[in-house]
Amino acid sequence: MDSAAVTPESFNFVVLFMRADWVVKLVMLGLALASLWSWTVILDKTFRFAALNREANRFEDEVASGKSLEEVAAKEGERPRHALPRMLQGALREWREARTKGLATDTQTAFLIQRIDRVLDAAIARESARVEDGLGSLAIVATASPFVGLFGTVWGIMHAFQSIAIQKNTSLAVVAPSIAEALFATAIGLIAAIPAYIAFNKFSTDAAKFAGRLEGFADDLSTAIQRRLAERG
């Protein structure tokens, strides 16, 4: 590039992209798409966790209202979308089947408690996997984007040095735009990685807290069933 042609507009992001080598352009486009995908996941998880916790609060208030567990479960319908009512219905289903067959011995009672615990554990595992869906892509964007951007920078600098050698001009006015093109790839990589990294850590914590909430509800539900069994005894 001619030093006389260098202006502040030469460092415009669009100009830097259009003037970059085709490999660097592919890197920038890939990072931009990765950033767009990560923001899609971030927005989806933000609204989803808010809805899950809001629904969990409502259901826990319903359970604590003094109504019977059967009444609360019936109110949620046959196919509830939230994990907590599904866990309740699964536990009550095992309870009804055991009552139909009879609970004559302590061994049968112990087997019932084990079956209920397995049903609740399976529900927790499925729900935990569901709420963690998409976090893997955030982790990939967070860890890989800086290195992809660095690759674009190294490639761009190498291409810039080749151009400088051909022009046989090492003035700063000639070098600066070419270096800026290369460093722009690293900047895009960081722009993609930083939000993904922050969101991954936040949503991982939210997922762990929600799983703990499910486990706490499962413990309370198992205790309620055992209390019923003790009263029947």
Side-chain angles (χ1 to χ4, degrees), residues 83 86-95 97-98 101 107-127 214-215 218-219 221-223 225-226:
R86 289 201 302 268
M87 292 168 62
L88 175 59
Q89 291 182 356
L92 291 178
R93 189 180 306 112
E94 294 293 332
W95 162 259
E97 291 179 0
K101 296 177 181 179
T107 301
Q108 291 175 330
T109 300
F111 283 155
L112 170 61
I113 295 174
Q114 290 180 3
R115 289 199 305 272
I116 291 175
D117 287 341
R118 285 197 295 269
V119 168
L120 296 177
D121 289 342
I124 292 172
R126 287 193 298 269
E127 187 65 18
L214 296 180
E215 291 172 357
D219 291 340
L221 188 55
S222 180
T223 300
I225 297 296
Q226 293 180 42

Side-chain angles (χ1 to χ4, degrees), residues 149-165:
L150 182 60
F151 167 75
T153 296
V154 172
W155 185 276
I157 290 176
M158 182 179 65
H159 182 74
F161 283 161
Q162 290 176 349
S163 300
I164 291 170

Side-chain angles (χ1 to χ4, degrees), residues 22-34:
W22 68 271
V23 174
V24 181
K25 284 182 180 178
L26 289 178
V27 169
M28 292 179 181
L29 288 174
L31 291 172
L33 291 175

Side-chain angles (χ1 to χ4, degrees), residues 185-204:
T186 296
I188 295 179
L190 294 176
I191 290 173
I194 292 174
Y197 178 79
I198 295 173
F200 173 78
N201 285 279
K202 179 187 182 303
F203 293 138
S204 295

